[in-house]
Amino acid sequence: MSATIKDVAKHANVSIATVSRIINKKPGFSPETEQKVLDSIQALGYQPNALARGLINKDTQTIGVLFPAVSNMFASEVLSGIEEYANEMGSSVIVCNTAEDGERTLKYLQVLSEKRVDGIIIVSEYIKEEYYKALSEMKIPKVLVSSISFEYPIPYVKVDDRHASFSAVNYLIGKGHRKIAMIAGNSTDPIAGVPRIEGYMAALRANGIEPSNDMIIHCDGFGHKDGVQAMKDIMDRDMDITAVFASSDELAVGAMSHAIRHGIRVPDDLSVMGYDDTKLAEMMIPSLTTVAQPLYEMGLMAATMLFDMKSSGAVIESRIMNHKIMERETVKNLL
Amino acid sequence: MSATIKDVAKHANVSIATVSRIINKKPGFSPETEQKVLDSIQALGYQPNALARGLINKDTQTIGVLFPAVSNMFASEVLSGIEEYANEMGSSVIVCNTAEDGERTLKYLQVLSEKRVDGIIIVSEYIKEEYYKALSEMKIPKVLVSSISFEYPIPYVKVDDRHASFSAVNYLIGKGHRKIAMIAGNSTDPIAGVPRIEGYMAALRANGIEPSNDMIIHCDGFGHKDGVQAMKDIMDRDMDITAVFASSDELAVGAMSHAIRHGIRVPDDLSVMGYDDTKLAEMMIPSLTTVAQPLYEMGLMAATMLFDMKSSGAVIESRIMNHKIMERETVKNLL
């Protein structure tokens, strides 16, 4: 994964704001600090984006962020990155919890429009026609996070879900697993459902294993209780597997939890792998091996793009962030 | 715990917004829906607060919320309650991540003042003199959540930390534990530190056990890594204990994690109890017995108070929310 502004800040032992200001050639730093940051930028090979400049005065210095749920760990880490960058740019963040409710989402877009926000970031939401209509009328920058629209031209920040899922399953195969079930979450979800299933199947095929639909467990959603239910199904069907790959950390943890309660040892009897790398993964016992989406970074990047679009007026290209296998304790090496 | 608007909504199988509107005698519902909600209110004995009415037109319909960290589970559940109620009242929520940094907090207060927000909710922050000065100048309602100020008259919503801590330790003693260590987090913290230690000591004394300072582990903060470190200390000192009570769920989970990794079985060899009841507690394996603060409710209540103050102009009394022991799997019954 290439170096980020956060890495530079850590390396130089200064705040992200300081790095940002030095990149933007703003005054108020000692030559030592400046040199330290420039050295860190060079040492890490960091390539800054052109950061937003010259915000027009009629700005409200407020952006809106729409989430399907404010209280899940995924959303709050993304929000944290957005808020950090917005704060550096002197802007405030209005949070909107859509609860995956279409009417509520439209109402929020209406409110944000009335409040004349400078831009909108939409996290993990599928863009329906009526949303796009409302968004276009606003004529302000918008960026998607962990989402993508084929119908409408909105730039996005996400990992490549198909690729990340492929990497995860390939990792399991590399550890000697060949009988791998997938807990797919809501498999009709165009972002977190379909592409991750495709990545799973592609990885199996690439390793000469024919995927079977029976090995894919479909759930209502991506939460803990869905994972519990999925593992119940797996055990009821007495599936002959050595590993499970789940489409979210919460699914993985729910599955682990049910398995462990029923005497299945993780990873001795069953390996488990998640997707997201929320803080939950690290705190679990055993800690969860997972595919990391750089959530905080994705928030930071989305906000950067939003302000770049605002200052330049140009349409910004979408970004595919690098995913990464986080090796922890839930995958057994069978080799 | 008394019934809440959320309970009523669930019982009547309608949204919180619907319950709120029916309480406020707003039109647009069938007689059936109205009756169903009124029945649920009666069945559950729910007592609604006088909800905010007649917002003055010069309002910006925006409130600000200050947090020490947006991305922890505690904060995000409180935020979720605030956002829910604000949305019902037609207001937006600006989130401000203070990172426990005084300068940053003051800058945020300045920004919120310039944006003419209608009210401010401050979560888990100690109110310094300069914050209060900035807050007073704004002449708008403010409410504290999980915090309290002895110096300055700001209404608050919190549990009684001393009492909740007492209840937790008393619960452990009720299960036959008498050698109980406490992982106290940052023990100088005036909210989450001192009162919880006092509650722990009071519970021991009330049960004829003389507390010992050696049994109280002091940490830098209330996070997972602090809990890991605390358990390391406990094991290094080879403490003769049967149970550990921690001042936060993250501390408890960190402690559990280190213990389990070193062959200590929870709860067979050591019982562990947390504080907060974040989603983490429920998701852990084994699931964590803890003292619940009703986080979502606290957010909802703080927002209700803020809007009540706004509409009535009166100072609202503070609220002590009920805590509750959540019995799960990490405490062994020794009796």
Side-chain angles (χ1 to χ4, degrees), chain A residues 61 83 108 115 261 329, chain B residues 61 83 108 261 329:
Chain A
Q61 308 221 318
E83 201 273 349
Y108 268 125
K115 294 217 154 104
R261 270 175 233 287
E329 301 173 330
Chain B
Q61 309 220 316
E83 201 271 350
Y108 268 125
R261 271 175 233 286
E329 301 174 331

Side-chain angles (χ1 to χ4, degrees), chain B residues 76-326:
Chain B
S76 60
E77 291 181 37
V78 173
L79 176 60
S80 180
I82 293 171
E83 201 271 350
E84 183 68 37
Y85 192 80
N87 177 44
E88 283 177 14
M89 302 306 288
S91 268
S92 301
V93 177
I94 290 180
V95 289
C96 307
N97 181 359
T98 66
E100 297 182 73
D101 175 313
E103 251 180 73
R104 190 162 160 155
T105 304
L106 283 171
K107 190 188 141 201
Y108 268 125
L109 291 175
Q110 175 67 24
V111 167
L112 293 176
S113 167
E114 283 163 10
K115 294 218 153 103
R116 302 268 180 274
V117 293
D118 302 330
I120 294 184
I121 296 175
I122 301 173
V123 184
S124 296
E125 289 276 1
Y126 177 74
I127 302 303
K128 297 185 191 166
E129 188 180 350
E130 60 266 35
Y131 300 174
Y132 185 69
K133 204 164 152 261
L135 284 166
S136 323
E137 281 164 6
M138 282 192 247
K139 301 193 193 317
I140 51 171
K142 34 235 165 224
V143 174
L144 303 178
V145 179
S146 271
S147 185
I148 184 171
S149 174
F150 292 116
E151 293 93 337
Y152 310 111
I154 309 178
Y156 57 84
V157 182
K158 62 191 286 297
V159 299
D160 182 329
D161 288 276
R162 205 174 274 99
H163 188 181
S165 174
F166 183 100
S167 300
V169 177
N170 204 47
Y171 169 83
L172 287 169
I173 296 169
K175 296 288 176 193
H177 296 274
R178 297 185 67 84
K179 296 169 181 169
I180 305 167
M182 175 163 189
I183 299 179
N186 176 352
S187 47
T188 64
D189 184 300
I191 315 297
V194 179
R196 296 182 192 169
I197 295 175
E198 288 173 359
Y200 159 81
M201 297 207 290
L204 292 178
R205 287 206 181 98
N207 288 278
I209 305 166
E210 189 45 37
S212 149
N213 283 330
D214 291 349
M215 302 278 265
I216 302 172
I217 319 298
H218 305 278
C219 319
D220 291 335
F222 296 87
H224 186 265
K225 69 173 192 327
D226 300 305
V228 170
Q229 185 57 48
M231 184 52 74
K232 223 175 262 178
D233 287 2
I234 288 173
M235 289 169 59
D236 285 350
R237 284 153 60 180
D238 205 12
M239 284 172 67
D240 175 27
I241 53 172
T242 64
V244 170
F245 168 56
S247 287
S248 77
D249 286 350
E250 278 206 27
L251 282 175
V253 165
M256 253 169 83
S257 155
H258 187 77
I260 291 173
R261 271 175 233 286
H262 290 79
I264 296 173
R265 291 166 306 164
V266 176
D268 289 345
D269 304 329
L270 182 69
S271 292
V272 177
M273 190 156 178
Y275 193 112
D276 283 335
D277 197 31
T278 56
K279 285 180 188 162
L280 181 63
E282 212 183 321
M283 291 198 269
M284 282 309 298
I285 315 166
S287 61
L288 182 68
T289 297
T290 190
V291 197
Q293 304 198 60
L295 302 172
Y296 176 87
E297 281 303 324
M298 287 163 74
L300 211 58
M301 174 61 85
T304 306
M305 287 164 62
L306 199 74
F307 285 95
D308 281 359
M309 287 164 79
K310 180 105 202 85
S311 61
S312 69
V315 174
I316 295 277
E317 69 278 19
S318 295
R319 309 293 169 94
I320 296 293
M321 306 291 277
N322 292 318
H323 59 269
K324 192 167 138 188
I325 304 291
M326 298 300 293

Side-chain angles (χ1 to χ4, degrees), chain A residues 84-138:
Chain A
E84 185 67 37
Y85 191 79
N87 177 45
E88 282 176 15
M89 301 306 289
S91 269
S92 302
V93 177
I94 290 180
V95 289
C96 307
N97 180 359
T98 65
E100 296 182 74
D101 175 315
E103 252 180 70
R104 191 163 161 154
T105 304
L106 283 172
K107 191 189 140 200
Y108 268 125
L109 291 175
Q110 175 66 22
V111 167
L112 294 175
S113 168
E114 283 164 11
K115 294 217 154 104
R116 303 268 180 271
V117 293
D118 302 330
I120 294 184
I121 296 176
I122 301 173
V123 184
S124 295
E125 290 275 1
Y126 176 73
I127 303 302
K128 297 183 191 167
E129 189 181 349
E130 60 266 36
Y131 300 174
Y132 185 69
K133 206 167 152 257
L135 284 165
S136 322
E137 280 164 7
M138 282 192 248

Side-chain angles (χ1 to χ4, degrees), chain A residues 149-162:
Chain A
S149 175
F150 291 117
E151 292 95 336
Y152 310 111
I154 309 177
Y156 57 83
V157 182
K158 62 192 287 297
V159 300
D160 182 329
D161 289 276
R162 206 173 274 100

Side-chain angles (χ1 to χ4, degrees), chain A residues 63-81:
Chain A
I63 64 169
V65 183
L66 271 71
F67 288 99
V70 171
S71 72
N72 74 36
M73 263 174 280
F74 177 92
S76 60
E77 291 180 37
V78 173
L79 175 60
S80 182

